[in-house]
Amino acid sequence: MAGGGAGVAKRLGTLVSGLLECGAFCGVIFGWASLVFVLKDLRYFQDLCQPPATPGHNHTDDCSGQDEQFSLVFTIGSFMNNFMTFPMGFIFDRFGTAVARLIAISLYTGGTLLVAFSTPELAVLLFPAMSMLSVGGILLILTNMQVGNLFGKYRSIVITLYNGAFDSSSAIFLIIKVLYERGLSLRAMFLFMASCSAWHLLRTFFLMPRTRIPYPLPPAYDYGLRCPGRSQSYRTYEEKRPPGEPGPEETPLEPAAPRAAALPVHRDPQPSPAPAGSRRPSPGTYTNAFAFTQLCGVLCAPWNGLILDRHKRGKDPRPEGALGTLADLRASVLSLAVTVTQCVLFSVCAAVPVLPVQFVTFVLQVLSRSFLYGGNAAFLAIAFPPQHFGKLYGLAMALSALVALLQYPCVALVRGPLHGDPFYVNLGLIAVVLVAFISPVVVARECRRRAKELGAAGTPLAAPPGAEPSAETPH
């Protein structure tokens, strides 16, 4: 390998394997509705069903208690998916990629084994199992998003692509449902998922760094275990760095710290409930349409990456140092504005009490979610030092989990004082989303402030043609 660094084949292998990992394992809990079909058929929580008060041929058991237990399993698991990202982010920043991934693999393996050996009599095992799958999955994607650092001008595209794959991984439980209907047992399928941990381990040791992938990449940077011989890793690069010279993670971006933050929102696998009209078509039509649109998350997410990286594709050399940081931050303004606009349109369509409009709501839900989560991760990577990425990403997700808890008082408000009419709740939520337009405005103002500071310091705001590249500071 020329220069001792990671070659194109290794970097592409890391990219593709990471995409497969995110798309097949990280967000499987968001396909919970498909797994519930299998669990009900296996009679999990069946003892909570009550016989009808008036026996007859047209009366079925009241299984609302069973449905509530399944809903509680998912609620706890999805809450843990977001809330536990905060402490997991600290672990990632403090101990590095290898330790974080080993914890994630242990949690994921434990979760799949609990499901595999659960029975209707031990249905309570679903509670820790889904939480372990959630936390393990979010920690895996957290370690994978740094892979974008290997691809320079495509960095944001890779980050958003991985977040889209996370969303599309909800299809795994749908595949399990289909295979179950074809005769495969739930235990066999989850034992296979547990055995995939061997692949996760191989990827951890050979295709991922021990600590973090720096940005920008040092000369001849390599990662993962190699054949005998000293690895030209980031640690080796640090050892060779002249004393007193600041490393990539030590060089400050500029005197003032960024003041803007991305807007976290809970990853919700179900669309906001829309009021039904007087005529109700078959629910299966809307369920199937929603399930299909969720699979398109991996296709929609990179569009935001194209917006974020659009300034890197010109013929002119990309600015470096503080100028490069400013250029990246400027590019994020349009991304934030587009994302908030999509969220507003989604909220408006979800509030329309006409069922056919919900087909548009499904599309907007996938678009806005893909833009929001991919853009959130990319923005944090751009605006803040890389050694704090895990903590900041975890904090954003934890806040989103807390905000998601507000759905319960909202539902109680609709069912109680509002007598089942969600109009005023929907109107309030739209007003809250409109406040998010402050985010691109604040970032735009920050860009102008930084540009003035650089101009006052005598720094040209455009890199001169043919200028010698200098060591770029991290984002």
Side-chain angles (χ1 to χ4, degrees):
M1 205 178 294
V8 175
K10 184 174 183 178
R11 287 185 284 129
L12 287 177
T14 303
L15 172 66
V16 174
S17 62
L19 187 62
L20 177 61
E21 187 171 81
C22 293
F25 302 96
C26 292
V28 293
I29 189 174
F30 297 109
W32 174 248
S34 298
L35 186 62
V36 166
F37 175 89
V38 177
L39 296 173
K40 281 188 174 182
D41 191 67
L42 293 173
R43 304 180 68 82
Y44 279 65
F45 298 120
Q46 185 68 30
D47 57 311
L48 298 177
C49 292
Q50 302 294 330
T54 307
H57 295 291
N58 296 328
H59 294 82
T60 58
D61 291 349
D62 177 12
C63 291
S64 59
Q66 181 190 38
D67 293 335
E68 288 176 1
Q69 282 297 101
F70 283 127
S71 178
L72 184 60
V73 171
F74 172 76
T75 299
I76 294 175
S78 59
F79 175 82
M80 295 292 287
N81 176 272
N82 288 333
F83 187 77
M84 289 302 295
T85 312
F86 189 34
M88 293 298 106
F90 269 98
I91 291 175
F92 173 58
D93 287 341
R94 175 64 180 85
F95 299 103
T97 303
V99 172
R101 286 182 62 85
L102 289 176
I103 294 174
I105 294 169
S106 299
L107 289 171
Y108 200 91
T109 305
T112 52
L113 289 176
L114 284 177
V115 177
F117 291 104
S118 66
T119 62
E121 294 74 23
L122 293 174
V124 70
L125 291 179
L126 294 176
F127 285 95
M130 290 302 113
S131 294
M132 293 169 73
L133 285 176
S134 294
V135 178
I138 198 67
L139 191 49
L140 283 177
I141 190 175
L142 181 61
T143 61
N144 271 305
M145 283 189 286
Q146 61 182 320
V147 172
N149 295 350
L150 296 173
F151 295 92
K153 62 182 180 179
Y154 303 108
R155 182 192 191 197
S156 296
I157 295 176
V158 172
I159 293 175
T160 54
L161 180 64
Y162 275 15
N163 277 269
F166 179 99
D167 292 337
S168 296
S169 63
S170 60
I172 296 301
F173 281 171
L174 176 61
I175 295 174
I176 287 178
K177 173 180 175 290
V178 172
L179 294 178
Y180 174 80
E181 293 172 335
R182 299 291 179 88
L184 286 181
S185 69
L186 182 70
R187 175 167 297 181
M189 289 184 283
F190 271 87
L191 285 176
F192 172 77
M193 292 178 67
S195 68
C196 290
S197 296
W199 180 75
H200 296 313
L201 286 172
L202 290 175
R203 188 166 181 273
T204 299
F205 294 129
F206 291 98
L207 291 178
M208 295 296 286
R210 188 177 67 82
T211 54
R212 284 189 304 272
I213 299 175
Y215 184 79
L217 292 180
Y221 173 76
D222 201 1
Y223 55 94
L225 297 180
R226 297 197 305 168
C227 296
R230 189 172 181 93
S231 171
Q232 186 72 20
S233 64
Y234 181 53
R235 181 169 295 277
T236 304
Y237 167 76
E238 287 287 290
E239 292 170 355
K240 291 182 177 181
R241 179 167 47 85
E245 179 182 333
E249 293 185 0
E250 300 167 358
T251 306
L253 295 178
E254 60 166 7
R259 296 180 295 187
L263 298 171
V265 176
H266 174 57
R267 286 187 188 267
D268 187 356
Q270 301 295 336
S272 299
S278 57
R279 301 181 61 185
R280 299 175 66 93
S282 171
T285 302
Y286 294 93
T287 302
N288 294 337
F290 178 70
F292 174 77
T293 55
Q294 301 312 295
L295 302 180
C296 300
V298 69
L299 303 177
C300 301
W303 299 352
N304 199 10
L306 291 172
I307 295 175
L308 287 162
D309 288 337
R310 67 188 188 280
H311 62 293
K312 302 177 183 177
R313 295 189 292 272
K315 295 182 179 180
D316 297 332
R318 179 179 177 271
E320 298 180 343
L323 292 177
T325 303
L326 179 59
D328 289 342
L329 204 59
R330 279 174 170 166
S332 69
V333 174
L334 177 59
S335 169
L336 290 170
V338 172
T339 301
V340 177
T341 301
Q342 289 176 342
C343 291
V344 171
L345 292 175
F346 162 65
S347 300
V348 170
C349 288
V352 175
V354 179
L355 276 175
V357 175
Q358 302 316 306
F359 289 115
V360 180
T361 304
F362 297 160
V363 174
L364 288 171
Q365 188 259 352
V366 172
L367 280 173
S368 60
R369 187 180 65 180
S370 299
F371 269 63
L372 181 61
Y373 281 93
N376 175 47
F379 179 83
L380 293 175
I382 288 170
F384 299 95
Q387 63 266 33
H388 300 303
F389 176 80
K391 292 185 284 290
L392 293 172
Y393 183 79
L395 178 61
M397 299 298 289
L399 289 174
S400 72
L402 295 176
V403 171
L405 294 178
L406 297 177
Q407 65 182 307
Y408 297 102
C410 288
V411 171
L413 182 62
V414 171
R415 290 179 175 176
L418 297 179
H419 307 290
D421 184 1
F423 175 77
Y424 292 105
V425 171
N426 287 332
L427 193 63
L429 292 176
I430 293 172
V432 171
V433 176
L434 285 171
V435 176
F437 276 110
I438 294 176
S439 182
V441 173
V442 170
V443 176
R445 288 170 61 92
E446 176 70 9
C447 290
R448 287 196 294 269
R449 185 190 66 81
R450 292 191 185 189
K452 290 180 180 179
E453 288 186 355
L454 291 174
T459 303
L461 297 183
E468 286 295 324
S470 57
E472 184 180 342
T473 56
H475 299 312

